[in-house]
Amino acid sequence: MTSSLPTDFLGRIIYLITNYGSSFLRGAGVTIAIAVVGTVIGCLIGFVVGITQTIPIHANDSKLKKFLLKIVNAILKIYVEVFRGTPMIVQAMFIYYGALMYLQISMGMWIAAFFIVSINTGAYMAETVRGGIISVDLGQTEGAKAIGMNHFQTMLYVVFPQTLRNIIPQIGNNLIINIKDSSVLSVIGTVELFYAAKQTAGAFYWYFESMTVAMLVYLAMTLITSFLLRKWEKKLDGAASFDLATTDTLAHTSGLLRGPTRRNGGHRHGR
Amino acid sequence: MGDEILRVGHLGKTFGNNVVLRDIDFTVSKGDVTSIIGSSGSGKSTLLRCINLLETPTCGEILYHGVPINGKDVNASEYRTHVGMVFQTFNLFNNLSVLKNCVIGQTKVLKKNKEESIAHAVTYLEKVGMAPYINAKPHQLSGGQKQRVAIARALAMDPEVLLFDEPTSALDPETVGEVLAVMRSLAREGMTMIVVTHEMAFARDVSNHVVFMSEGIICEEGTPKEIFESPKNARTQEFLARFTQN
Ligand SMILES: Nc1ncnc2c1ncn2[C@@H]1O[C@H](COP(=O)(O)OP(=O)(O)OP(=O)(O)O)[C@@H](O)[C@H]1O
Ligand SMILES: [Mg+2]
């Protein structure tokens, strides 16, 4: 083109950022949107599938219930195995072109992206949720049953909150994976960050420079995400110490109280 | 002996081909404190868990006020609100504070309103000496404290009978006393209790009915005086002799 184009690495990077920065940013926005929406919907799918797979079957349940649960669980198992056992890039082409050629449905960039990332994440999360539910100590369930909770209440108030806390690192992992792996959606024309970087690269044959910018933007997104996730986890864990309720009414009526036992020195006393 | 609450008749339980309980018969009346003693593996926990339907009995029946509760169309959850259970391992809800542990059953199962439930929970937490700890999470408490909260949680449901499965076995020797003290005071107030225990002093001094189990059957039962002072069965004698030795 013109001789005014920079020829050194740094110059080209600066040129790309000043002239194509907005298209990189737009791509990054699409990437984040796909990753977040895909992870959220994927988690919902994973919760539903994982919870369904752990519904207990009792000896005196009706035949119909047993039969239905078996069928549903078989279908869910196939879903999980198929989507965990095949690459997302192939799934993307398979679903996009399958819908286009045989169902005459042109999914459009957003729908296709959300759909593929969601069901993919759902398959992974289903296993995570199932494992998370199983790993909650059986004593928790028995404690809940012993005060008269049914299965639904036990799950909702006791098991599930503990499962959720245990799998947050996995949810975060999936979000980070989705930020990176949504790049494969460029094969079905989703204009996310990688697609934008490739287009820019192609325009000047500056592959290295353009990918350098893409690398930095991806890294910034994943680092910020893991920082925010860790903050969220800390917040969920609550305070490391608790306040003793030493209001007169409480403290003096308790005949057996021997006074607080300090365990890790972290307890704050009084108010 | 009038107000019969629970009657266990010809109860049996097998796990696979392992016969754990055989032909168990006994009754519990209002105000009874029944201690179940016996060596490890004799089926005490299994019996208690059958009574609370955490295990399904293989045969026999359990009558609650004359109504069988181990049939097909019995609402086990509803029944359990009347027959509470305290576990060896406490089983407090790890995700909830001490107060919420004692409130959630009242609001979600009994559908009581929140203020009333909190007041009720605090009453029982005061009773077990844990009211100052309402904001603590279970992992911030000692074993004895956890068990006292677990007792308050069970009491807050206003059960008619309370089952205890070795409530002090997982505790340090120093904290056993605080839990036993709570149980003694419950017995004094007329709470109906069935207690599986290795605390012979508790069985002797607090209960009015002692059941000795061995290898899945009830070998001998009677008043503490009968069992501890003049046991008739050779196995009971042998078992108690081991306790008085050490
Ligand atoms: N879920 C189960 N599956 C198979 N066998 C079991 C199960 N639960 C208990 N048993 C068996 O039943 C027998 C009685 O166990 P149980 O726990 O009732 O004894 P226990 O009298 O409470 O003993 P301990 O004093 O040690 O608590 C044991 O042989 C045990 O192995
Ligand atoms: Mg036991």
Side-chain angles (χ1 to χ4, degrees):
Chain A
M1 291 195 206
T2 60
S3 54
S4 67
L5 283 175
T7 51
D8 63 311
F9 175 70
L10 213 59
R12 284 174 172 183
I13 297 271
I14 291 166
Y15 184 88
L16 283 179
I17 291 173
T18 42
N19 292 291
Y20 292 87
S22 63
S23 95
F24 276 96
L25 276 183
R26 215 174 307 125
V30 172
T31 292
I32 283 284
I34 293 171
V36 170
V37 173
T39 306
V40 169
I41 299 177
C43 283
L44 292 178
I45 295 173
F47 292 151
V48 171
V49 175
I51 288 171
T52 310
Q53 286 180 323
T54 50
I55 293 176
I57 300 180
H58 295 294
N60 48 9
D61 279 339
S62 71
K63 280 223 168 67
L64 182 69
K65 184 179 166 193
K66 284 183 192 166
F67 179 74
L68 280 179
L69 264 179
K70 267 213 178 114
I71 299 274
V72 169
N73 280 336
I75 294 170
L76 295 180
K77 186 136 180 48
I78 292 171
Y79 157 64
V80 169
E81 296 301 338
V82 166
F83 283 92
R84 284 199 319 166
T86 53
M88 192 158 83
I89 190 167
V90 181
Q91 291 165 17
M93 305 262 283
F94 176 81
I95 290 171
Y96 184 78
Y97 289 108
L100 193 63
M101 320 264 298
Y102 288 95
L103 304 174
Q104 276 75 49
I105 299 171
S106 173
M107 294 176 101
M109 147 181 150
W110 288 106
I111 299 291
F114 290 154
F115 185 74
I116 289 153
V117 176
S118 299
I119 51 172
N120 209 276
T121 308
Y124 277 94
M125 283 309 297
E127 282 300 280
T128 305
V129 171
R130 200 174 66 86
I133 289 173
I134 291 170
S135 72
V136 172
D137 179 24
L138 190 64
Q140 297 288 307
T141 307
E142 296 199 333
K145 279 186 182 170
I147 56 168
M149 287 196 190
N150 58 31
H151 177 71
F152 180 74
Q153 291 167 329
T154 304
M155 290 302 285
L156 185 63
Y157 302 120
V158 178
V159 176
F160 198 63
Q162 295 183 46
T163 303
L164 190 61
R165 176 61 195 88
N166 290 340
I167 66 176
I168 283 175
Q170 284 306 317
I171 296 177
N173 246 344
N174 270 300
L175 180 56
I176 288 172
I177 288 172
N178 285 341
I179 290 174
K180 298 185 297 173
D181 286 4
S182 55
S183 57
V184 305
L185 296 172
S186 59
V187 297
I188 54 167
T190 304
V191 191
E192 39 64 65
L193 177 56
F194 176 64
Y195 190 102
K198 222 168 46 172
Q199 259 187 336
T200 319
F204 303 95
Y205 291 99
W206 291 351
Y207 281 93
F208 180 60
E209 293 79 0
S210 186
M211 288 308 147
T212 303
V213 176
M215 287 281 278
L216 291 173
V217 180
Y218 273 117
L219 193 61
M221 291 195 291
T222 54
L223 287 178
I224 291 170
T225 305
S226 42
F227 171 78
L228 292 177
L229 283 166
R230 217 160 305 138
K231 258 194 138 165
W232 185 38
E233 264 181 67
K234 271 233 180 80
K235 199 173 159 199
L236 275 176
D237 282 341
S241 59
F242 61 90
D243 287 323
L244 284 169
T246 48
T247 56
D248 294 27
T249 40
L250 287 187
H252 295 303
T253 41
S254 49
L256 286 157
L257 180 66
R258 285 184 183 166
T261 32
R262 267 175 184 269
R263 294 186 66 231
N264 39 30
H267 300 178
R268 280 175 287 137
H269 289 237
R271 278 161 202 265
Chain B
M1 269 294 164
D3 309 318
E4 178 181 298
I5 297 176
L6 276 170
R7 172 183 290 274
V8 176
H10 303 295
L11 188 83
K13 175 71 185 173
T14 50
F15 289 107
N17 56 6
N18 182 8
V19 182
V20 176
L21 295 177
R22 235 174 312 191
D23 211 19
I24 301 284
D25 281 297
F26 75 100
T27 58
V28 173
S29 299
K30 195 165 168 48
D32 274 355
V33 178
T34 306
S35 290
I36 302 177
I37 59 172
S39 46
S40 188
S42 56
K44 307 180 299 292
S45 297
T46 307
L47 173 58
L48 216 57
R49 292 167 59 81
C50 281
I51 293 175
N52 205 20
L53 298 181
L54 287 175
E55 301 286 358
T56 313
T58 316
C59 58
E61 59 181 3
I62 301 170
L63 302 177
Y64 177 66
H65 290 291
V67 181
I69 49 96
N70 55 330
K72 261 190 179 237
D73 37 40
V74 170
N75 184 344
S77 301
E78 205 274 334
Y79 165 70
R80 291 195 191 105
T81 61
H82 304 294
V83 180
M85 178 118 169
V86 174
F87 300 86
Q88 184 175 351
T89 47
F90 329 123
N91 298 349
L92 291 179
F93 306 134
N94 293 327
N95 56 317
L96 300 177
S97 69
V98 164
L99 182 65
K100 284 189 179 147
N101 261 277
C102 299
V103 165
I104 192 153
Q106 298 182 68
T107 53
K108 304 302 180 190
V109 178
L110 302 179
K111 315 279 184 208
K112 285 163 58 175
N113 78 42
K114 204 171 161 199
E115 290 73 38
E116 195 189 333
S117 304
I118 290 175
H120 201 58
V122 169
T123 309
Y124 285 110
L125 284 167
E126 277 172 352
K127 192 181 178 68
V128 301
M130 287 302 292
Y133 295 85
I134 51 174
N135 299 320
K137 284 284 188 73
H139 71 92
Q140 294 166 320
L141 303 176
S142 72
Q145 292 174 329
K146 280 187 216 176
Q147 195 60 296
R148 286 187 279 147
V149 173
I151 292 173
R153 177 177 73 179
L155 288 172
M157 301 297 289
D158 294 319
E160 194 175 9
V161 186
L162 213 44
L163 313 177
F164 293 82
D165 188 4
E166 298 195 32
T168 57
S169 293
L171 303 179
D172 307 330
E174 310 114 75
T175 52
V176 168
E178 68 194 44
V179 172
L180 288 179
V182 169
M183 292 170 64
R184 277 172 200 271
S185 79
L186 288 177
R188 260 200 311 278
E189 289 160 24
M191 183 78 208
T192 310
M193 312 198 279
I194 305 177
V195 186
V196 171
T197 187
H198 288 292
E199 297 288 333
M200 291 305 138
F202 180 88
R204 194 183 56 221
D205 305 338
V206 183
S207 50
N208 65 335
H209 186 200
V210 179
V211 172
F212 171 70
M213 286 182 69
S214 177
E215 294 175 8
I217 58 168
I218 295 183
C219 277
E220 190 168 354
E221 60 178 317
T223 63
K225 209 169 150 74
E226 287 165 347
I227 300 291
F228 287 100
E229 285 172 23
S230 50
K232 296 188 181 60
N233 187 294
R235 282 196 224 160
T236 320
Q237 290 164 359
E238 195 190 318
F239 175 78
L240 291 172
R242 255 185 292 146
F243 266 95
T244 40
Q245 266 162 27
N246 44 36

